[in-house]
Amino acid sequence: MRKVFEVELASENGCAELTLPAAPCALLDAMEKLGLREGEVPQWEVIQTYSCDKLYPYLDQNGSLTELNALCQQLALLGEQQTAVVEGLVKIEFEHGSRPVPMPRLIDMAYSTDCCHLVEGVTDDQTLGRFYAKNGFVPEADNLTDQQFELLDFARIGREFRQNEGGVFTSGGYVQRHDELKQVYKTLDLTLKKPDYAILAELPDGSRARLPTPLGKTVVEEPARCVDCVAPALTGLTAMRSTLDMLARRVTELELDGDLTKYKAVLEATGCDDILRALTLTDELDRYSLDPEPREPDEVASGHLKGLLPEEDLAALLPNVNLYCYGQELMEQSGGKLTGYGYVQPSIGPVQDMEPQKNGLEMM
């Protein structure tokens, strides 16, 4: 599925970036990173458009993240012509005073591309008028010679047709609506739900398998690619299906034991990009510690100092210390790294005895 938008999410306790449309696990993981309080909803802002950039200016910024994701899920399935139709529907709505277009309405538009006519390549009244005159929509032009035909005021003809039809020009051509929108939004379930898999794998034939495989069922040995996972760092990685199944089973156990967040943090901190290494890491979590509080170097520094000094000494020291630089120095010395889940660092042996790889956190 193609990417539509990159959004930045924010709450009182954190922030995260998310590519839309997002699969269920990726969406739930982003919510975890935000640390939402009860009743709090995430704020979102589009920071990059991959496709459908013509629709971005019309987005309802008051729409919910789940609504935006539902919109992107449908937009990602549309071709260029269908996307041009949605752009046209939005412009028609916009010209009738809906500013911005409410998110439920946008979703209905994305599902209603067959309610419009699209004349490709027609982007102004001049070319629209010529199209109508040439295709029998202007009776007076039917019996004209070529020379007489060229004397017609195509811009006036096009303008009259456009105004009478309520059509608009888009980046893909002229769009004119001929039917009512489908009422799809009210049928959608936008509740965030945990999926019934730890890993969703795409198989060579394009089908998808939910892992882990139920006990007693044979696992067909074939290549597979992770397209959604409760540990999103693994999304996009490939392995044999049996290996992914084994990892899915192990990750499920970690979730039951309450260690999934730590595992996700270690995956991010170590930059793990290999399924076999990811499987090995499920048994090595005791070699790392996770502090969920720090999200910036200055928070690492202040947390470290709180463990060393009495409260009154700490209050006198903090205003006179460059906490950000101190935190960076502490991270470099310990091999620690900040992640979307908190601060991860090796938890065994002195730093000098470790063998860092790549980013200073991976251990043999």
Side-chain angles (χ1 to χ4, degrees), residues 28-39:
L28 288 168
D29 180 72
M31 297 299 100
E32 179 185 350
K33 289 179 177 177
L34 293 177
L36 296 171
R37 303 177 189 274
E38 185 175 354

Side-chain angles (χ1 to χ4, degrees), residues 58-167:
Y58 303 98
L59 287 180
D60 178 8
Q61 302 293 326
N62 293 319
S64 70
L65 176 62
T66 52
E67 288 176 330
L68 181 62
N69 193 52
L71 172 64
C72 290
Q73 285 176 328
Q74 180 61 17
L75 292 176
L77 300 175
L78 303 182
E80 289 185 13
Q81 294 179 352
Q82 293 170 310
T83 302
V85 169
V86 178
E87 180 190 342
L89 286 170
V90 170
K91 284 189 172 182
I92 291 171
E93 192 90 356
F94 197 76
E95 290 185 357
H96 283 80
S98 184
R99 306 184 180 200
V101 180
M103 196 69 75
R105 188 75 168 168
L106 281 172
I107 291 173
D108 286 343
M109 290 176 181
Y111 281 89
S112 302
T113 56
D114 56 354
C115 77
C116 291
H117 293 302
L118 170 66
V119 185
E120 292 185 75
V122 173
T123 56
D124 56 39
D125 288 331
Q126 178 81 15
T127 52
L128 180 63
R130 179 178 288 275
F131 170 82
Y132 276 123
K134 200 171 185 178
N135 288 277
F137 293 94
V138 182
E140 298 84 353
D142 288 347
N143 298 314
L144 298 178
T145 64
D146 290 346
Q147 188 175 9
Q148 291 171 329
F149 182 83
E150 293 299 328
L151 296 176
L152 293 174
D153 187 348
F154 295 117
R156 179 186 62 79
I157 294 171
R159 183 170 59 254
E160 290 179 355
F161 271 97
R162 175 174 55 79
Q163 291 174 343
N164 291 335
E165 296 172 343

Side-chain angles (χ1 to χ4, degrees), residues 106-277:
L106 281 172
I107 291 173
D108 286 343
M109 290 176 181
Y111 281 89
S112 302
T113 56
D114 56 354
C115 77
C116 291
H117 293 302
L118 170 66
V119 185
E120 292 185 75
V122 173
T123 56
D124 56 39
D125 288 331
Q126 178 81 15
T127 52
L128 180 63
R130 179 178 288 275
F131 170 82
Y132 276 123
K134 200 171 185 178
N135 288 277
F137 293 94
V138 182
E140 298 84 353
D142 288 347
N143 298 314
L144 298 178
T145 64
D146 290 346
Q147 188 175 9
Q148 291 171 329
F149 182 83
E150 293 299 328
L151 296 176
L152 293 174
D153 187 348
F154 295 117
R156 179 186 62 79
I157 294 171
R159 183 170 59 254
E160 290 179 355
F161 271 97
R162 175 174 55 79
Q163 291 174 343
N164 291 335
E165 296 172 343
V168 293
F169 297 115
T170 74
S171 57
Y174 175 71
V175 173
Q176 181 251 326
R177 198 177 93 180
H178 60 74
D179 208 347
E180 294 300 315
L181 300 181
K182 295 178 181 178
Q183 302 301 302
V184 175
Y185 173 80
K186 60 185 180 182
T187 69
L188 300 178
D189 182 1
L190 300 181
T191 307
L192 277 176
K193 297 176 182 176
K194 185 179 181 300
D196 59 348
Y197 54 80
I199 292 178
L200 183 64
E202 186 175 69
L203 307 178
D205 62 0
S207 64
R208 293 186 171 185
R210 289 170 166 77
L211 305 178
T213 305
L215 291 174
K217 189 174 181 179
T218 303
V219 178
V220 178
E221 190 68 326
E222 57 187 335
R225 182 172 70 92
C226 175
V227 294
D228 191 30
C229 180
V230 293
L234 303 177
T235 301
L237 301 185
T238 59
M240 296 306 290
R241 183 172 174 177
S242 61
T243 303
L244 279 181
D245 190 67
M246 189 184 308
L247 178 57
R249 200 168 302 282
R250 187 70 186 97
V251 168
T252 300
E253 294 170 357
L254 290 178
E255 186 171 17
L256 292 173
D257 292 339
D259 289 329
L260 179 59
T261 297
K262 183 177 183 181
Y263 178 62
K264 293 192 291 186
V266 170
L267 285 175
E268 181 181 331
T270 58
C272 181
D273 59 0
D274 177 79
I275 290 294
L276 293 177
R277 181 58 185 144

